[in-house]
């Protein structure tokens, strides 16, 4: 009787363990990812995406009048610059700026942040395609980030 009760308890424990781990794994696969995660995954794969491991960029929903920004690390002293191409530039007002990092030690070659401030002005699908490369090296893209926005009323 002791062995039967132990066996039943062990079986119940294992069933619960496997059921909970399967539920967690399924939830992890379908959860939405944040913009920071999207930028991390997108900028660290160098176009070598493994669809089984890396989440695809998600579509963000915005409304006309919404304002947001995209900020990316950049070091122009190395020749690398972020450039933006968009599929439909009249859907949003986009202003670009660069801010160097604080340089209290007067270090040479210190980088900064390239920032795009975006305001949705029309409905539609907005695609932002960022590339990090040296302008004179046309075929050598260091990083690429694609962001997608659905803009509605």
């Amino acid at each position: 009787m002791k062995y039967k009760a132990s066996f039943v308890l062990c079986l119940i424990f294992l069933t619960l363990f496997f059921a909970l781990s399967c539920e967690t794994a399924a939830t992890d696969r379908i959860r939405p990812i944040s913009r920071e995660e999207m930028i991390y995954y997108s900028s660290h794969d160098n176009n070598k995406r493994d669809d089984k491991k890396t989440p695809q960029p998600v579509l963000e929903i915005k409304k006309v009048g919404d304002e947001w920004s995209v900020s990316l690390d950049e070091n122009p002293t190395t020749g690398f610059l972020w450039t933006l191409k968009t599929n439909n530039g009249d859907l949003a007002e986009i202003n670009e700026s660069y801010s160097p990092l604080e340089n209290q030690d007067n270090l040479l070659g210190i980088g900064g942040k390239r920032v795009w401030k975006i305001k949705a002005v029309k409905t539609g699908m907005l695609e932002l395609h960022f590339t990090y490369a040296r302008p004179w090296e046309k075929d050598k893209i260091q990083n690429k980030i694609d962001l997608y926005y659905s803009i509605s009323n």
Side-chain angles (χ1 to χ4, degrees):
M1 182 73 174
K2 281 185 177 181
Y3 294 115
K4 189 174 187 180
S6 296
F7 177 74
V8 170
L9 283 174
C10 185
L11 188 61
I12 290 172
F13 174 76
L14 287 174
T15 302
L16 287 173
F17 175 76
F18 286 118
L20 291 175
S21 65
C22 289
E23 182 179 325
T24 302
T27 303
D28 286 346
R29 282 195 304 269
I30 60 170
R31 73 176 178 79
I33 62 173
S34 68
R35 177 184 295 170
E36 290 77 20
E37 288 175 301
M38 181 171 51
I39 289 174
Y40 172 82
Y41 286 118
S42 204
S43 66
H44 284 80
D45 66 5
N46 288 326
N47 299 321
K48 298 174 186 164
R49 187 177 302 281
D50 180 354
D51 291 331
K52 296 175 185 155
K53 294 180 182 174
T54 306
Q56 295 296 309
V58 294
L59 175 70
E60 286 192 43
I61 308 298
K62 299 289 184 186
K63 293 194 178 293
V64 172
D66 284 356
E67 296 181 20
W68 68 97
S69 64
V70 175
S71 177
L72 299 172
D73 292 334
E74 180 180 277
N75 191 344
T77 63
T78 63
F80 286 98
L81 303 172
W82 281 105
T83 56
L84 168 64
K85 290 185 181 176
T86 180
N87 69 322
N88 201 345
D90 65 336
L91 295 181
E93 295 172 358
I94 302 173
N95 295 306
E96 178 182 345
S97 64
Y98 177 78
S99 300
L101 295 175
E102 283 189 35
N103 190 0
Q104 297 174 349
D105 298 327
N106 294 323
L107 300 173
L108 295 176
I110 193 161
K113 296 250 183 221
R114 177 78 51 190
V115 178
W116 291 266
K117 293 187 180 191
I118 305 158
K119 180 179 180 181
V121 294
K122 283 185 175 178
T123 61
M125 178 66 72
L126 177 65
E127 298 177 16
L128 303 179
H129 304 285
F130 299 92
T131 54
Y132 192 58
R134 291 179 172 137
W136 62 89
E137 295 178 338
K138 299 290 182 195
D139 298 333
K140 295 183 180 179
I141 294 174
Q142 184 72 23
N143 283 325
K144 183 177 178 185
I145 298 172
D146 299 312
L147 301 177
Y148 303 90
Y149 300 94
S150 175
I151 302 172
S152 62
N153 284 324

